[in-house]
Amino acid sequence: MIKRTFIRTAVLALGIFCCTVSCKHTPETSTDTTTSAAPSGQQKEPFAIVIHGGAGTILRKNMTPEREAEYRKVLEKAIRTGYDILKNGGSGLDAVQKTVNVMENSPLFNAGKGAVFTHDGKNELDASIMDGKTLNAGAVAGVTTVKNPITLARTVMEKSEHVILARKGAEDFAEEQGLEIVDPSYFYTESRMKALERIREREKSELDHDGKTAFYDPIIKDAKFGTVGCVALDKNGNLAAATSTGGMTNKRWGRIGDSPIIGAGTYANNQTCAVSSTGWGEFFIRGMVAYDISALMEYKGMSLKDAAKEVIQKKLPGLGGNGGIIAVDHLGNMVMEFNTAGMYRASMNAKGELHVGIYEN
Ligand code: ASP
């Protein structure tokens, strides 16, 4: 009897072991927004990269073919930058930083050049980066003179003993470290100024506005925010995540969103996944969205796909927030999950297969 129980237990244990091993090496099924790093037979050294350029009410009917082509072109240029780094054996950190740099330098996105304006007509930039291998992280908030905030975030991570530096202090540190400094006017774009003017007009015409109403106005909620982010898995199995933004149009009082908050806008852990968020920042902070996805994987054993769905389709709307995330796990499974009408996004797997998306489908 004891012997039979022992044999049954041994067979069961063997079964569980085999399943765990094979499951570990089986990327999740692909859907429109979930893809895997390497198709079967290519499991060795999987690497993968995903980017976003912001989530919001991005509708085909509001887009001209020319404008759409411009977005697609920059998304492709950005992701190919990171892909080439990964393909040549470069680090996930280099890939996410350089990819975000491309989008920061494009006026199309709400990061670096092209950032949205504050209530006072300034551009205050936030960014963060995280290394999944060491759990090191760096972030900056409210900087106005640093051309590439994500580069500064990485410098904070690597060259200081701090995680977040803000405003003038962060700018002084950037100068000290020899980063590229620009006149604040560098970030100006007419379209972002017009967006601010529209909101200001609307504020004026609302009789009982109190600032809060204006800031949380549905117009702003539905705006195409345009924050940028990148997550990557490199050939050494290291995950990295980066996010950069100008925040939300008409922000005031030194408002800081989720993008420079580790765990909300950005998170990476080699044991689970790398995540970059975009959307209504206050809710991403309250929901600790990026970390929550990682935690569901770590403590509940959920797949990346299920964890992302749980947080973006259930928890976030439950709090009243909207937006999306991109993520990649330690096996190279990629996810682009959002609860808005659209999200600028792209992914590339180890085989070089490119997927670029804007709308829901
Ligand atoms: N999450 C950003 C913020 O709240 C905005 C965005 O992603 O569109 O600052």
Side-chain angles (χ1 to χ4, degrees), residues 67-85:
R67 188 122 180 104
E68 184 173 325
E70 276 180 61
Y71 273 107
R72 287 183 179 275
K73 199 169 140 202
V74 182
L75 287 169
E76 189 170 336
K77 181 179 169 199
I79 200 161
R80 286 198 184 280
T81 302
Y83 175 82
D84 288 345
I85 292 170

Side-chain angles (χ1 to χ4, degrees), residues 11-26:
V11 168
L12 195 68
L14 189 69
I16 291 170
F17 172 72
C18 291
C19 171
T20 311
V21 170
S22 72
C23 290
K24 266 195 138 175
H25 294 278
T26 310

Side-chain angles (χ1 to χ4, degrees), residues 29-179:
T29 333
S30 294
T31 68
D32 179 41
T33 53
T34 310
T35 48
S36 64
S40 46
Q42 292 244 334
Q43 300 305 321
K44 234 176 148 208
E45 292 183 340
F47 65 96
I49 182 163
V50 194
I51 60 173
H52 71 74
T57 310
I58 308 165
L59 299 169
R60 205 174 256 116
K61 68 175 178 34
N62 298 334
M63 187 78 88
T64 63
E66 295 75 29
R67 188 122 180 104
E68 184 173 325
E70 276 180 61
Y71 273 107
R72 287 183 179 275
K73 199 169 140 202
V74 182
L75 287 169
E76 189 170 336
K77 181 179 169 199
I79 200 161
R80 286 198 184 280
T81 302
Y83 175 82
D84 288 345
I85 292 170
L86 297 172
K87 195 176 169 208
N88 294 326
S91 72
L93 275 176
D94 280 344
V96 297
Q97 183 209 322
K98 303 278 185 225
T99 301
V100 166
N101 284 157
V102 173
M103 290 188 279
E104 284 179 333
N105 295 343
S106 161
L108 289 180
F109 299 100
N110 173 18
K113 172 95 186 156
V116 298
F117 284 95
T118 65
H119 185 71
D120 300 329
K122 292 185 185 145
N123 305 104
E124 294 180 353
L125 313 170
D126 305 332
S128 65
I129 193 164
M130 186 156 181
D131 178 0
K133 184 182 175 189
T134 57
L135 301 189
N136 272 348
V140 292
V143 295
T144 60
T145 59
V146 181
K147 187 181 177 201
N148 291 110
I150 201 66
T151 309
L152 179 56
R154 183 161 179 194
T155 311
V156 170
M157 176 173 82
E158 291 175 346
K159 302 280 167 57
S160 85
E161 61 216 11
H162 306 297
V163 174
I164 310 183
L165 297 183
R167 305 187 189 282
K168 175 83 169 63
E171 290 166 2
D172 290 348
F173 177 71
E175 273 190 57
E176 224 179 274
Q177 292 293 324
L179 266 66

Side-chain angles (χ1 to χ4, degrees), residues 311-334:
V311 176
I312 298 301
Q313 307 299 352
K314 286 191 198 158
K315 181 175 173 177
L316 189 63
L319 287 169
N322 65 351
I325 58 99
I326 49 161
V328 58
D329 72 11
H330 58 295
L331 299 175
N333 295 303
M334 298 178 275

Side-chain angles (χ1 to χ4, degrees), residues 110 225-227 245 247-248 255 257-259 277-282:
N110 173 18
F225 302 127
T227 291
T245 191
M248 290 173 89
R255 181 263 187 188
D258 59 313
S259 307
S277 313
T278 174
W280 197 346
E282 278 67 13

